[in-house]
């Protein structure tokens, strides 16, 4: 029997829909919301309104691209948590209405679980080269920074996480201090490519265990820029590439030092990246090199499956369908939810 799942993602500022059939992604459509760049960050109310405008055409396009009729769907999966409450509500209400009208099962998906499972998406495209359970995953996004032990698609344990800012916030807030527009993470990545990461030294926080902290780094960058600008007003413009490379280098080393510790503690050598920050070139390169030196088998999702997307929601929906893990129509969304 062929299992065809429609996935809907609307947790933040991307309206996305995708179709997954038997573990294959047939379509992956994303409508980004440009409007937020004028405000230096995501404006929740504007995001909700844009989701309302985008969701119907995005779902339509996902079905057309997949070549799938609405009558061929077996279930509707959607992001239930975590995220902006108004944004989540739009996707959830749409998914519930569609499931109700088509008399299909509804599947609620945790966004962070879906980021982790994006690593299983390349299965067929990569000739089966996907991580074996149990694997470790460093999940780094705009809202989360976690090290997860993944025992199966449904069994995951967070063994380390940030105590303040997420890695993506560390990138975006640093970029803001440099006068770069939102979201600054990809821009720091771009400028860092031409810079020297050893030029400026930023502190590595001393946090016990496998947890992370990025707030001290942000403060150190703020004071550094203020001091240098007092001496040389155009310091940032003149040294942008080296500053970006040095900031990126420090964020990456904070992340990878903890991941190395987690791998040593758990003895797990199948190691993955996930989440928007795993699109970062510096992180990808250093992660692969660290993996080679420590004998890990490393995995990184394809670029379009690193940042927010609905393919990962449809794929997680597929795994949950196999477990018959359905949700009632009374399911509510949640801004914060652990798993
Ligand atoms: O997973 P994601 O798309 O959305 C959330 O669930 O938060 O992650 C978005 C975060 C943003 O902070 C963005 O700046 C960061 O990922 N990001 C990057 C890069 N691409 C996206 N950070 C650094 N380098 C990149 N290339
Ligand atoms: Zn995300």
């Amino acid at each position: 029997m062929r299992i065809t799942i429609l996935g809907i993602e609307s947790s933040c500022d991307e309206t996305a829909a995708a179709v997954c059939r038997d573990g294959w992604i047939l379509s992956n459509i994303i409508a980004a919301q440009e409007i937020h760049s004028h405000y230096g960050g995501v404006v929740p109310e504007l995001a909700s309104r844009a989701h309302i405008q985008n969701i119907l055409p995005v779902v339509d396009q996902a079905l057309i691209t997949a070549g799938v009729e609405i009558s061929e769907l077996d279930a509707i999966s959607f992001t239930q948590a975590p995220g902006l409450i108004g944004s989540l509500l739009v996707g959830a209400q749409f998914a519930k209405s569609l499931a109700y009208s088509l008399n299909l099962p509804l599947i609620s998906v945790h966004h962070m679980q879906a980021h982790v499972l994006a690593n299983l998406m390349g299965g067929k495209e990569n000739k089966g080269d996907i991580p074996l359970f149990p694997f470790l995953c460093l999940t780094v996004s705009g809202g989360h920074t976690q090290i997860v032990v993944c025992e199966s698609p449904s069994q995951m344990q967070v063994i380390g996480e940030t105590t303040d800012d997420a890695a993506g916030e560390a990138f975006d807030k640093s970029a803001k201090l440099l006068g770069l527009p939102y979201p600054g993470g990809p821009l720091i990545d771009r400028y860092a490519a031409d810079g020297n990461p050893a030029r400026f030294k930023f502190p590595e926080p001393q946090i016990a265990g496998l947890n992370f902290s990025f707030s001290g780094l942000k403060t150190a960058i703020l004071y550094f820029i203020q001091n240098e600008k007092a001496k040389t007003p155009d310091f940032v413009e003149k040294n942008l590439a080296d500053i970006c490379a040095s900031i990126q280098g420090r964020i990456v080393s904070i992340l990878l030092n903890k991941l190395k510790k987690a791998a040593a503690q758990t003895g797990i050598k199948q190691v993955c990246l996930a989440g928007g920050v795993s699109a970062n070139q510096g992180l990808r390169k250093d992660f692969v090199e660290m993996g080679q030196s420590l004998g890990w088998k490393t995995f990184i999702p394809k670029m379009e499956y690193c940042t927010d997307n609905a393919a990962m929601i449809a794929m997680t929906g597929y795994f949950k369908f196999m477990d018959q893990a359905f949700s009632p129509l009374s399911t509510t969304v949640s801004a914060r939810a652990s798993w």
Side-chain angles (χ1 to χ4, degrees):
M1 184 176 123
R2 294 194 313 184
I3 305 299
T4 309
I5 312 283
L6 172 68
I8 294 172
E9 154 65 30
S10 69
S11 64
C12 192
D13 59 340
E14 256 104 24
T15 320
V19 176
C20 169
R21 176 170 281 163
D22 298 336
W24 287 87
I25 300 302
L26 301 186
S27 63
N28 183 31
I29 306 297
I30 301 179
Q33 302 178 359
E34 298 303 332
I35 190 156
H36 306 289
S37 60
H38 303 296
Y39 299 93
V42 177
V43 183
E45 182 54 32
L46 294 180
S48 312
R49 290 185 207 175
H51 283 307
I52 291 171
Q53 285 174 339
N54 292 343
I55 194 143
L56 194 54
V58 164
V59 168
D60 225 15
Q61 196 55 53
L63 292 168
I64 292 167
T65 306
V68 164
E69 295 293 329
I70 204 161
S71 57
E72 294 176 78
L73 294 176
D74 293 294
I76 316 289
S77 63
F78 72 101
T79 305
Q80 182 259 334
L84 299 171
I85 206 81
S87 292
L88 288 166
L89 271 171
V90 178
Q93 287 311 119
F94 190 92
K96 286 185 198 183
S97 309
L98 200 56
Y100 180 66
S101 62
L102 297 172
N103 198 23
L104 291 177
L106 180 72
I107 302 174
S108 57
V109 169
H110 193 288
H111 183 84
M112 301 313 294
Q113 179 188 7
H115 268 306
V116 174
L117 295 183
N119 280 286
L120 302 181
M121 220 123 64
K124 294 185 177 171
E125 289 168 29
N126 295 351
K127 301 188 176 65
D129 195 16
I130 54 172
L132 301 173
F133 296 108
F135 62 79
L136 269 186
C137 188
L138 172 68
T139 313
V140 272
S141 73
H144 290 78
T145 299
Q146 298 177 327
I147 300 177
V148 178
V149 176
C150 189
E151 303 276 354
S152 75
S154 60
Q155 270 182 297
M156 297 186 192
Q157 195 198 348
V158 178
I159 58 170
E161 60 191 329
T162 184
T163 53
D164 40 55
D165 288 347
E169 276 177 296
F171 270 107
D172 295 339
K173 288 180 178 175
S174 304
K176 200 168 180 177
L177 294 174
L178 299 175
L180 300 174
Y182 178 86
L187 292 172
I188 291 201
D189 193 0
R190 201 179 313 154
Y191 289 117
D194 301 321
N196 172 9
R199 172 94 185 278
F200 304 111
K201 291 264 177 283
F202 295 111
E204 174 150 13
Q206 301 305 312
I207 303 291
L210 298 175
N211 286 340
F212 303 89
S213 168
F214 290 100
S215 62
L217 175 65
K218 184 184 59 192
T219 310
I221 293 168
L222 172 68
Y223 288 146
F224 167 77
I225 291 171
Q226 280 177 349
N227 282 340
E228 294 298 333
K229 273 172 108 170
K231 290 182 269 173
T232 318
D234 58 354
F235 174 79
V236 170
E237 293 75 12
K238 278 187 168 158
N239 297 284
L240 191 57
D242 287 347
I243 301 171
C244 287
S246 302
I247 292 172
Q248 178 170 296
R250 177 50 78 210
I251 295 174
V252 168
S253 75
I254 292 171
L255 292 171
L256 291 184
N257 284 343
K258 290 291 169 125
L259 187 60
K260 183 177 171 183
K261 201 168 171 181
Q265 273 181 23
T266 57
I268 297 173
K269 286 184 177 286
Q270 304 264 322
V271 192
C272 308
L273 292 184
V277 179
S278 57
N280 183 266
Q281 296 302 332
L283 176 60
R284 295 166 86 92
K285 180 172 158 288
D286 290 358
F287 169 68
V288 170
E289 282 175 12
M290 177 179 268
Q292 278 165 355
S293 73
L294 295 173
W296 299 348
K297 188 151 170 52
T298 53
F299 302 87
I300 311 176
K302 278 168 69 174
M303 218 51 139
E304 65 260 42
Y305 302 145
C306 285
T307 45
D308 283 351
N309 65 87
M312 66 185 192
I313 306 301
M315 185 74 177
T316 307
Y318 172 72
F319 285 118
K320 292 187 93 165
F321 186 95
M322 298 317 253
D323 288 343
Q324 300 281 289
F326 302 131
S327 300
L329 288 173
S330 57
T331 300
T332 53
V333 296
S334 169
R336 300 191 170 275
S338 54
W339 40 283

